[in-house]
Amino acid sequence: LNKESRVSYLKTIKTNNPGIDLQYDPYEGVLFLTEGFEDGFAATEWNLGDETPWTITSLVSHSGTCSAQAGDIGNSEQTTLTIQLDCQAGEIRFRRKVSSEGVCDLLEFSIDGQSQAQWSGEQDWDEVAFSVQAGKRTFTWTYSKDDSSSRGQDTAWIDDITFPIIP
């Protein structure tokens, strides 16, 4: 089976935390933590940033009613959302949306400080996936602005994240 057809075989495991679901892929033997932000930042390990933290919004979402939105920053500033988890080898998947000045103001995703991708301009919701090696991993989303002008809504959102965690 290819990955797209295996989605229907994922087994959902309910937890005592209403904001967090676990899914098990019996074909790969991987457990996924799913974060949809419906109950805020449900995973307690989130680091929301300091001066201009990421927030939960119900105005824009991919699925459900909420997503995480980059903090409201000015020119030459950045806002960062980070989580550190013990992972199995697998993939992290998430949806992202950006409304910003093209090339200059951007959303960047990193694993262990290594940039994986950047997005800017007007980009609607799209799912992205990146390989994850086993071990303690730090996942970081950073929205940053250059020193001039703004376009669009001047922000970024993420939603529906699946992490390949260690059971």
Side-chain angles (χ1 to χ4, degrees):
L1 294 173
N2 64 31
K3 286 187 180 187
E4 289 74 28
S5 63
R6 283 201 326 251
V7 169
S8 64
Y9 290 99
L10 292 176
K11 309 284 187 208
T12 299
I13 303 165
K14 293 294 181 187
T15 66
N16 290 333
N17 186 333
I20 296 177
D21 284 330
L22 298 175
Q23 292 185 318
Y24 179 70
D25 181 339
Y27 291 96
E28 290 189 21
V30 176
L31 186 66
F32 294 96
L33 170 98
T34 303
E35 172 68 91
F37 304 107
E38 297 307 306
D39 292 302
F41 291 101
T44 58
E45 296 89 359
W46 287 108
N47 180 335
L48 308 179
D50 296 325
E51 307 230 348
T52 51
W54 283 61
T55 59
I56 300 299
T57 181
S58 59
L59 300 175
V60 177
S61 67
H62 175 262
S63 66
T65 59
C66 297
S67 68
Q69 181 176 0
D72 185 16
I73 58 173
N75 291 336
S76 300
E77 294 182 338
Q78 68 180 27
T79 179
T80 301
L81 178 66
T82 304
I83 190 167
Q84 189 174 62
L85 297 168
D86 289 320
C87 295
Q88 301 182 64
E91 286 184 332
I92 180 174
R93 295 179 166 275
F94 61 92
R95 302 282 181 157
R96 58 97 193 113
K97 178 176 178 158
V98 181
S99 178
S100 71
E101 179 185 10
V103 181
C104 300
D105 300 345
L106 52 91
L107 174 65
E108 179 176 24
F109 174 66
S110 301
I111 300 175
D112 297 332
Q114 299 295 310
S115 179
Q116 303 296 305
Q118 297 179 344
W119 306 275
S120 67
E122 293 297 323
Q123 296 195 28
D124 204 0
W125 289 110
D126 193 24
E127 183 179 55
V128 294
F130 302 93
S131 294
V132 175
Q133 295 178 353
K136 187 172 279 289
R137 298 286 163 244
T138 302
F139 303 100
T140 305
W141 291 264
T142 303
Y143 182 69
S144 58
K145 294 179 49 59
D146 70 351
D147 60 0
S148 65
S149 72
S150 299
R151 301 275 189 286
Q153 295 181 53
D154 206 20
T155 194
W157 303 264
I158 58 172
D159 204 359
D160 303 327
I161 307 170
T162 57
F163 300 98
I165 63 166
I166 292 177

